[in-house]
Amino acid sequence: MVGRGRKSPPRRSEAVGALETTEQVIGDPQRAVLVSLDLGRDSDSVDELALLAQSAGLTVADTVLGKRLKPDSSTFVGSGKLQEVAERVAAEQAGLVIMNHDISPAQERNMARVLGCRVIDRTSLILDIFAQRARSHEGLLQVELAQLQRLATRLVRGWTHLERQKGGIGLRGPGETQLETDRRLLGKRVKTLKERLAKVRRSHRTQRQARGRAGVLQVSLVGYTNAGKSTLFNRLTHAKAYTADQLFATLDTTTRKLYLGPEATVVLSDTVGFIRHLPHTLVAAFRATLDETRDADLLVHVVDSADPERDEQIAAVNAVLAEIGADQVPQLLVYNKVDRLPLVEAGLERDAYGTISTVRASALTGAGMEYIRQAFAEMCQSRRQVAEQSDAPIERHTEYPNGTE
């Protein structure tokens, strides 16, 4: 006979439930508490997370830091740190917690249950910023694809309540049928978006090939987000692209023609900025935009010279370029914002072959713009010389045994 009143050992979900607070926090959804742990390996800057939150229109109410050897499987931060976060959320009346890490759907759900507010991770925050900034038809398609691809990976665990069939008359719900329906609809929409973006890629490729046949130098601006690419683009082309001192101010690609002389025409493209640990779903979804970078004749790698982490940012940009197959495209390194460095003046440096490889400039003041134009003009001239040599008639000589003709 089974002992009456004996409780079975708590399951993992019940153990997590023991951490739940009895009072649900109802805070301002625009006030966020940031959480960042030192896990003893390469981690993202919490200051950068704060900038991302501000770019999304949020107010950073507080920041919780911690250190762990490895993430907790249930709540990522552990029960003690989670209680500290709950206290900060309640004190600040925050309605959102942003993790400076990628967390699983189960961890997100467990944390939200304890904290009584929404919990998102760094990738979700970046996707939200992209959704806010997308304006063009292409940009909207790319953002929706990235969001759906991320949702597809979170359906299985995020919707486990739909997979449990309830026994008994009148208690059998849709169960797996509902989950499979959602999966099928999601997959159908993803397929449609990929087909539409494939058409956009083909159209862009045709335009780039036409420019290439016309001998136009195709240049793409690349760099870490908020390095000043759009300001530089406007300075060189006299365009009015949107600029702001915030991360991911530019999302949609803008292209303008830059006239340098009768035989030197450049098509300059301002592309989306990169960031450390850029989500792979974004890289995949923005393939149509990134093709503009991969197929360019020259990449102008814009660097915020006043940022103390500029070397790490350069490495992060080069890592993304390698991921999309653009690491073999020639680069012109532009150290921007020299106006913030009192001991640095605008100038240029050449490599061992005499090619301009580095320029120090300020897009804000216009200092050093002539060196960038000079680099474009010299590359146009070099390409023209190569084309002339390839079109030159080939002299054919007939050799005779005695050396005479």
Side-chain angles (χ1 to χ4, degrees), residues 115-331:
L115 299 174
C117 67
R118 286 187 62 224
V119 178
I120 64 173
D121 58 13
R122 186 173 180 272
T123 298
S124 297
L125 178 60
I126 293 176
L127 283 172
D128 186 80
I129 295 173
F130 274 51
Q132 291 183 34
R133 304 281 160 76
R135 291 293 180 270
S136 68
H137 175 67
E138 176 187 349
L140 292 171
L141 290 177
Q142 292 174 134
V143 169
E144 184 181 356
L145 177 60
Q147 291 175 323
L148 293 181
Q149 287 177 327
R150 178 170 172 78
L151 179 61
T153 63
R154 306 174 81 84
L155 266 183
V156 176
R157 292 186 180 178
W159 293 46
T160 50
H161 64 287
L162 293 179
E163 293 185 309
R164 290 196 291 268
Q165 293 279 358
K166 295 183 179 180
I169 301 298
L171 295 178
R172 294 185 178 90
E176 278 188 354
T177 304
Q178 179 62 51
L179 181 56
E180 291 300 327
T181 300
D182 292 321
R183 285 174 177 164
R184 185 173 63 255
L185 293 175
L186 188 67
K188 185 177 180 180
R189 181 59 180 169
V190 167
K191 181 180 178 181
T192 300
L193 291 173
K194 287 183 176 180
E195 290 174 350
R196 292 181 180 178
L197 284 172
K199 293 181 180 179
V200 173
R201 292 181 64 186
R202 287 194 295 269
S203 175
H204 288 181
R205 190 180 303 114
T206 301
Q207 294 174 2
R208 288 192 297 270
Q209 290 174 349
R211 292 197 295 261
R213 287 192 296 268
V216 176
L217 181 68
Q218 301 180 66
V219 180
S220 285
L221 297 178
V222 299
Y224 208 76
T225 180
N226 204 30
K229 296 183 299 298
S230 296
T231 304
L232 179 62
F233 179 82
N234 291 340
R235 176 69 66 173
L236 289 172
T237 64
H238 304 291
K240 295 182 180 179
Y242 175 72
T243 61
D245 186 14
Q246 59 186 16
L247 304 188
F248 297 116
T250 299
L251 182 59
D252 298 314
T253 300
T254 306
T255 301
R256 292 289 186 275
K257 187 174 290 186
L258 179 61
Y259 181 76
L260 299 176
E263 296 182 343
T265 302
V266 176
V267 170
L268 190 64
S269 297
D270 183 21
T271 60
V272 62
F274 299 149
I275 197 169
R276 275 172 289 192
H277 303 148
L278 188 68
H280 292 283
T281 51
L282 280 178
V283 175
F286 276 72
R287 186 68 61 179
T289 295
L290 297 177
D291 280 348
E292 198 80 33
T293 299
R294 189 188 60 189
D295 296 339
D297 300 312
L298 176 67
L299 299 180
V300 177
H301 186 163
V302 184
V303 180
D304 183 353
S305 59
D307 195 307
E309 297 185 352
R310 57 182 176 273
D311 292 335
E312 291 82 358
Q313 293 176 357
I314 292 174
V317 172
N318 287 331
V320 177
L321 292 176
E323 185 176 351
I324 64 176
D327 51 329
Q328 300 301 317
V329 181
Q331 282 192 25

